[in-house]
Amino acid sequence: MKVHKEGRRILFVTILVLLALNLALYQFNRGAVLFNRIFAGVSVVAFLALLQFFRSPFRHLFTHEDLLLAPADGKVVVIEDVYEPEYFEDMRKQISVFMSPINVHVTRNPISGMVKYFKYHPGNYLVAWHPKSSTQNERTTVVVASDAGPLVLFRQIAGAMARRIVWYVNEGDEVNQGEEFGFIKFGSRVDLFVPIDADVKVELGQKVKGGETVICQLKV
């Protein structure tokens, strides 16, 4: 287990602030012993909660050119055929993974290939399970020409709490299945759009692990 690079500065600043507050209370509020102890306990719990959010556990990754792996930890909340208007402008199968605040928030390439399209969209912060969050919230869209042949679109979506999306890919990059392509701070959702004939391997409500759980198999 390690701390993700996106959280190191936040954790460092947080522990300095909490230490300063607790030292100030000890120095100037010595008479309120119970209050000081409660505040110290709350400080520890708050820091540990933040620490677990930025954890980056080791994953046993494997690669297979026609299998899509989960792009993030979380729960499958959408499996349906939809019209995808941004890039494909036709029907695609959408599979969405919702990330709660207690999930690991690293986002991973679901498949290997070349990035054919990338775009960042500023937007709103509707709750991540809202039907319009996929098209109205702050988000990134990545389209990869997979090594297996078919194009795959995946999208990071910010939610009501997640107000900071980080990405590490750009058009023209070669990406490797299971490697990090970004990070969403404080929970949200990742959508996958694959060909209609893709063989889905997960069910609604199923919990998945980024880089390990097989989401679907492409027809090649």
Side-chain angles (χ1 to χ4, degrees):
M1 182 73 69
K2 64 179 181 178
V3 176
H4 195 274
K5 62 183 180 181
E6 298 296 340
R8 291 169 189 165
R9 182 176 179 180
I10 293 174
L11 289 167
F12 180 71
V13 171
T14 299
I15 198 168
L16 287 181
V17 170
L18 291 175
L19 282 172
L21 290 173
N22 279 275
L23 287 172
L25 285 174
Y26 178 78
Q27 183 69 29
F28 301 109
N29 195 34
R30 294 186 178 183
V33 176
L34 180 60
F35 176 84
N36 292 350
R37 288 179 177 175
I38 291 173
F39 188 86
V42 170
S43 297
V44 171
V45 171
F47 181 77
L48 291 177
L50 195 61
L51 181 64
Q52 70 84 32
F53 173 79
F54 285 108
R55 70 195 187 280
S56 182
F58 175 78
R59 290 291 160 86
H60 296 280
L61 306 176
F62 73 95
T63 60
H64 199 291
E65 66 176 18
D66 66 341
L67 296 179
L68 261 73
L69 302 182
D73 289 20
K75 183 170 69 173
V76 178
V77 293
V78 175
I79 302 175
E80 62 182 4
D81 295 344
V82 299
Y83 180 80
E84 198 294 304
E86 179 178 351
Y87 184 84
F88 294 117
E89 298 183 338
D90 66 8
M91 297 297 293
R92 295 279 149 164
K93 191 175 295 295
Q94 177 183 342
I95 306 163
S96 299
V97 175
F98 173 72
M99 308 156 68
S100 78
I102 63 172
N103 287 128
V104 173
H105 287 77
V106 176
T107 51
R108 300 178 181 276
N109 297 304
I111 201 159
S112 298
M114 176 177 285
V115 178
K116 304 293 290 184
Y117 174 86
F118 173 86
K119 189 171 183 179
Y120 167 75
H121 302 268
N124 299 321
Y125 298 100
L126 302 172
V127 291
W129 56 84
H130 194 288
K132 293 184 178 180
S133 65
S134 183
T135 56
Q136 294 187 9
N137 278 19
E138 179 187 3
R139 62 200 182 279
T140 64
T141 301
V142 182
V143 178
V144 170
S146 68
D147 289 345
L151 295 173
V152 174
L153 184 153
F154 43 100
R155 183 175 287 141
Q156 296 171 300
I157 302 170
M161 291 181 62
R163 299 188 175 231
R164 182 75 170 94
I165 293 177
V166 181
W167 62 90
Y168 313 133
V169 298
N170 293 288
E171 286 186 20
D173 289 352
E174 289 282 349
V175 296
N176 296 314
Q177 189 175 48
E179 292 185 354
E180 296 182 18
F181 81 85
F183 195 95
I184 308 178
K185 297 183 178 180
F186 301 111
S188 194
R189 195 172 101 190
V190 181
D191 290 348
L192 291 168
F193 293 85
V194 296
I196 291 291
D197 63 356
D199 183 12
V200 178
K201 303 294 186 182
V202 291
E203 299 177 347
L204 282 174
Q206 180 177 335
K207 293 182 179 180
V208 298
K209 282 191 174 183
E212 290 188 353
T213 306
V214 175
I215 293 291
C216 68
Q217 184 170 21
L218 302 174
K219 303 292 185 181
V220 296

